[in-house]
Amino acid sequence: MRTTVGIIGGGPAGLLLARLLHRAGVDCVVLESRSREYVEQRQRAGMLEQGTVDALREAGAAARLDTEGLVHHGIELRFDGERHRVDFPSLTGGRTVTIYAQTEIVKDLVALQLAEGPPLLFGAEALAVEKPESAAPVVRFRHEGRERTLTCDWVAGCDGFHGISRGVLPAGRSYTRAYPYAWLGVLAEVAPSCEELIYARSERGFALHSMRSPSVSRLYLQVPEGTDVRDWPDDRVWDELAARFAVDDDWTLCRGPITAKSVTPMRAFVHEPMRHGRLLLAGDAAHIVPPTGAKGLNLAVSDVRVLARGLTEWHRADDTHVLDHYSELCLQRVWQATRFSDDMTRMLHTRPDGDAFDHRMQLARLRRITASRDAAAELAANYSGLPLPL
């Protein structure tokens, strides 16, 4: 097989890149190792920055998003039994965020890809990227029981932290941070108890109330590293959530059937550079942030927008300026998002080895945000999404 851009990975990053390239007249092939059913069902992030919504509209992939997405104008911070709302539009010049599950984005992009092209191969396991420094790199992959090759002008590694693409890059600089706690996440068939996301800091630990739809709640609890979900029966989950969200008024947490539970380790990872020859990484293949700032999916989309622009300019005018600076352009935003996610994580989570000083410092940071318009504006600007570096 021969194409202009070989895309490894059929998650939101790879699919959105394929969609943007298709609309720009650049041919590509997407290789996804899993089945369609699997990629359309895996639960991931659901908070979209303003720029991510704009990118999906630009790609012609926002019909359901615009109908079913839940536009939020702020978030609520809870601590010391108090509730404090951060209003995004008044602090950012009108920017908002939208709740729309990553599973739904993938479904939308898959449907468009299969209906309009370019090729999307499920069950196509990438085995190796060969000759990435040449003008014609090759992706070896296994599909329908036999090994095949895809010769490209460029390869986009959108196959996540555990994919093969990152391992092709020669030794560069990898920066990591492991946090001494994890998140227990649950999906519940119950209407959300709030209109906007709640970030709660308590001495019992952090809790987050999010949602997937008007009838499905998504909730998280800070738990120790290595937690086994079997140690958290439903009643214990609801009781702990209620304790951490408790405030000095009549707010009540709605309970319902829990349909899924999972434990997510908290870590940060950034690899520099994000390019080697004609192999370019995007999304989790190059960086991971703790989920407190809701930046993972949004960073992948910003990478893809830069990458699509660079590949389009190369295709149309043999202009490689953006591609030549792809890594540094993306990493500017990656490091700012990592900083913000780390700040949110440290401010809201209780450290296992924390003391009274740590407790007072967390409260001081939270009270600074709730008392200062400048501090609140800084949070709102980062949460709703910093501008692209182009």
Side-chain angles (χ1 to χ4, degrees):
M1 298 176 65
R2 181 72 169 85
T3 192
T4 301
V5 181
I7 301 173
I8 304 175
L15 291 168
L16 180 58
L17 177 59
R19 180 69 182 165
L20 293 173
L21 292 177
H22 174 64
R23 289 169 70 87
V26 182
D27 65 293
C28 60
V29 173
V30 181
L31 306 176
E32 167 54 48
S33 63
R34 302 284 194 165
S35 67
R36 179 180 181 179
E37 179 182 28
Y38 180 90
V39 301
E40 290 186 341
Q41 291 183 357
R42 56 188 169 192
Q43 294 291 330
R44 294 291 189 272
M47 197 291 290
L48 310 184
E49 296 175 354
Q50 182 75 61
T52 297
V53 174
D54 294 343
L56 291 166
R57 288 174 178 156
E58 175 189 342
R64 281 207 308 137
L65 166 63
D66 286 334
T67 301
E68 301 175 18
L70 307 175
V71 178
H72 285 192
H73 295 82
I75 60 172
E76 183 179 305
L77 299 175
R78 290 192 180 184
F79 57 95
D80 265 6
E82 303 170 3
R83 304 165 65 175
H84 300 270
R85 184 171 182 270
V86 181
D87 183 84
F88 293 164
S90 66
L91 295 166
T92 63
R95 295 174 72 81
T96 61
V97 298
T98 300
I99 303 300
Y100 189 67
Q102 178 174 312
T103 50
E104 305 308 312
I105 294 173
V106 169
K107 289 175 186 176
D108 295 342
L109 291 169
V110 166
L112 287 169
Q113 184 92 351
L114 296 178
E116 303 178 16
L120 166 57
L121 304 182
F122 290 106
E125 180 188 6
L127 304 173
V129 178
E130 300 174 345
K131 303 186 291 183
E133 295 178 275
S134 74
V138 174
V139 181
R140 281 197 300 109
F141 66 100
R142 183 180 295 110
H143 185 237
E144 296 179 340
R146 66 188 187 92
E147 193 169 307
R148 307 176 66 183
T149 59
L150 176 65
T151 303
C152 324
D153 294 302
W154 300 87
V155 178
C158 304
D159 50 344
F161 183 79
H162 298 290
I164 68 159
S165 299
R166 184 167 57 89
V168 177
L169 273 67
R173 297 177 299 277
S174 292
Y175 303 89
T176 61
R177 168 66 48 84
Y179 296 86
Y181 30 73
W183 274 15
L184 171 65
V186 301
L187 272 177
E189 294 290 339
V190 61
S193 307
C194 51
E195 295 182 356
E196 297 173 333
L197 273 64
I198 301 172
Y199 286 78
R201 186 262 176 216
S202 81
E203 293 186 44
R204 303 176 68 98
F206 169 75
L208 170 62
H209 194 321
S210 182
M211 63 281 292
R212 285 294 178 262
S213 74
S215 61
V216 177
S217 296
R218 182 69 160 156
L219 306 108
Y220 299 92
L221 284 168
Q222 175 189 345
V223 294
E225 291 180 280
T227 289
D228 188 331
V229 295
R230 292 172 295 185
D231 295 332
W232 284 85
D234 292 4
D235 287 345
R236 183 186 180 193
V237 171
W238 287 120
D239 289 346
E240 189 63 27
L241 285 166
R244 297 188 192 186
F245 287 127
V247 287
D248 298 330
D249 60 28
D250 59 357
W251 184 89
T252 301
L253 176 67
C254 298
R255 305 185 181 206
I258 292 177
T259 59
K261 295 177 187 174
S262 62
V263 174
T264 302
M266 300 283 285
R267 66 183 189 273
F269 168 85
V270 180
H271 186 276
E272 298 181 358
M274 293 171 57
R275 176 183 173 181
H276 172 56
R278 292 202 168 197
L279 169 64
L280 305 104
L281 304 183
D284 286 359
H287 43 73
I288 291 177
V289 292
T292 323
K295 293 298 160 207
L297 171 62
N298 295 293
L299 277 181
V301 170
S302 64
D303 290 348
V304 162
R305 294 182 80 179
V306 176
L307 183 51
R309 176 171 169 177
L311 291 167
T312 299
E313 291 181 357
W314 168 83
H315 178 74
R316 292 177 175 173
D318 199 27
D319 182 350
T320 63
H321 176 76
V322 172
L323 292 176
D324 290 341
H325 295 87
Y326 170 72
S327 188
E328 61 194 81
L329 287 169
C330 290
L331 285 168
Q332 291 177 35
R333 200 170 192 275
V334 166
W335 277 114
Q336 287 302 317
T338 304
R339 175 200 58 78
F340 173 68
S341 299
D342 182 74
D343 287 348
M344 290 282 284
T345 300
R346 291 173 180 273
M347 180 173 68
L348 292 164
H349 289 72
T350 302
R351 288 188 60 89
D353 59 351
D355 57 20
F357 181 86
D358 295 313
H359 169 73
R360 299 304 297 180
M361 288 298 293
Q362 288 180 314
L363 290 178
R365 292 187 178 98
L366 286 162
R367 294 210 176 277
R368 169 66 179 167
I369 292 168
T370 59
S372 164
R373 180 179 175 84
D374 289 342
E378 174 71 9
L379 186 152
N382 281 273
Y383 196 96
S384 61
L386 298 175
L388 284 176
L390 282 174

